[in-house]
Amino acid sequence: MSSTLYLIPCVLDELALNTIPLYIIDAVKNCQVIFAENERTSRRFLKSICKEIIIDDYEWFTIHKAEEEQKNSFRQKIKEQKNIAIISEAGCPGIADPGQILIELAQQLNVTVKPLVGPSSILLALMASGMNGQQFEFVGYLPIDNGERIKAIKELELLSQKKLSTIIFIETPYRNNQLIETLLKTCKPATRLCIAAELTGLHEFVKTKTIADWQKEKTDFHKKPVIFLLLAV
């Protein structure tokens, strides 16, 4: 018998349980150990998808920045031939997610890795944007410093235009409005910007407009989970 690592997708919105396939429950039941980005919300998530799951039957580890400590715990559970689940805070493990470090280790240890289907805000936003899905790049967070941020936006816009590539990025929710303001002041009028907010939620919002058109709109995405997509022409 050898270990299997299951990558368990989590809801983007607490009420959107319909986005989680039923076979996820069987995968969780097949595990003995859970590495979670946030143990409290992961426990609540598992209880919401299946009341039968006995949360305290699992060994729980929190994924945090003490990487070596986490890796050592992970190696030990592999040695014990335990099946392990990784649960991200939202969406899919390994995608813009600290769980990637443990998945990389699993590959090095020749452990079977089972990625399971579930909602990814990055892919959902790209699907709905109408932008280039053949060539795209996720660049994570832009710089916080305003000067560096403006420079980064101009470089990404140029890259997008050169490669006809969709550039995808995110921001801390309380800084969304400042980022939008900078994008509207920095980008060329014909560049397309997609704002995808609260995906899978009751107030889901996905719109793609040119920078010139967004400048005519009044927007407020303060403290909302948002994915930004940029395509320059």
Side-chain angles (χ1 to χ4, degrees):
M1 180 181 154
S2 58
S3 297
T4 298
L5 176 62
Y6 292 91
L7 308 183
I8 306 294
C10 186
V11 288
L12 300 177
D13 182 280
E14 283 190 359
L15 299 178
L17 296 176
N18 60 318
T19 61
I20 302 298
L22 289 175
Y23 83 140
I24 297 299
I25 295 169
D26 293 332
V28 173
K29 286 180 177 178
N30 200 31
C31 293
Q32 298 83 45
V33 180
I34 296 174
F35 281 79
E37 188 177 357
N38 184 313
E39 183 177 336
R40 184 177 62 83
T41 54
S42 292
R43 282 171 172 265
R44 194 165 67 232
F45 163 64
L46 293 182
K47 271 298 181 189
S48 70
I49 62 171
C50 182
K51 298 285 190 291
E52 299 167 13
I53 292 175
I54 302 171
I55 302 296
D56 291 329
D57 280 357
Y58 296 91
E59 290 183 77
W60 285 84
F61 296 88
T62 303
I63 302 169
H64 51 71
K65 291 184 178 178
E67 290 177 13
E68 282 311 310
E69 180 187 327
Q70 297 306 300
K71 287 180 178 179
N72 290 337
S73 300
F74 189 82
R75 283 191 192 95
Q76 181 58 38
K77 296 307 155 188
I78 296 296
K79 198 178 288 183
E80 293 170 14
Q81 299 189 327
K82 301 282 182 70
N83 287 341
I84 301 171
I86 290 183
I87 305 177
S88 181
E89 174 67 355
C92 298
I95 309 295
D97 170 70
Q100 172 262 321
I101 294 161
L102 298 179
I103 300 165
E104 179 186 22
L105 181 56
Q107 290 289 357
Q108 292 169 359
L109 296 172
N110 202 30
V111 172
T112 299
V113 178
K114 297 279 290 180
L116 303 178
V117 173
S120 164
S121 57
I122 296 168
L123 290 181
L124 291 172
L126 180 61
M127 288 164 63
S129 69
M131 293 182 176
N132 191 356
Q134 299 288 343
Q135 177 128 331
F136 54 91
E137 182 178 354
F138 176 68
V139 297
Y141 292 92
L142 301 187
I144 295 174
D145 177 80
N146 195 49
E148 289 179 14
R149 170 173 289 193
I150 290 169
K151 183 184 174 188
I153 290 170
K154 287 180 177 177
E155 287 174 353
L156 290 171
E157 187 179 35
L158 199 61
L159 178 68
S160 174
Q161 186 176 29
K162 186 177 178 182
K163 293 188 172 182
L164 197 63
S165 176
T166 302
I167 307 296
I168 308 169
F169 47 96
I170 52 178
E171 180 52 284
T172 304
Y174 67 85
R175 285 201 295 261
N176 283 334
N177 287 346
Q178 292 96 311
L179 174 57
I180 292 169
E181 185 182 346
T182 306
L183 287 166
L184 298 187
K185 286 179 179 176
T186 306
C187 293
K188 297 172 183 175
T191 291
R192 289 158 65 199
L193 171 67
C194 177
I195 300 175
E198 299 181 283
L199 291 166
T200 75
L202 289 174
H203 304 291
E204 181 178 83
F205 175 97
V206 186
K207 291 288 180 187
T208 299
K209 300 175 185 283
T210 64
I211 292 295
D213 284 339
W214 277 118
Q215 287 169 344
K216 301 170 191 171
E217 299 274 336
K218 187 176 180 181
T219 61
D220 183 8
F221 294 95
H222 187 54
K223 290 189 176 178
K224 295 179 181 179
V226 176
I227 301 284
F228 299 94
L229 304 91
L230 200 72
L231 185 63
V233 292

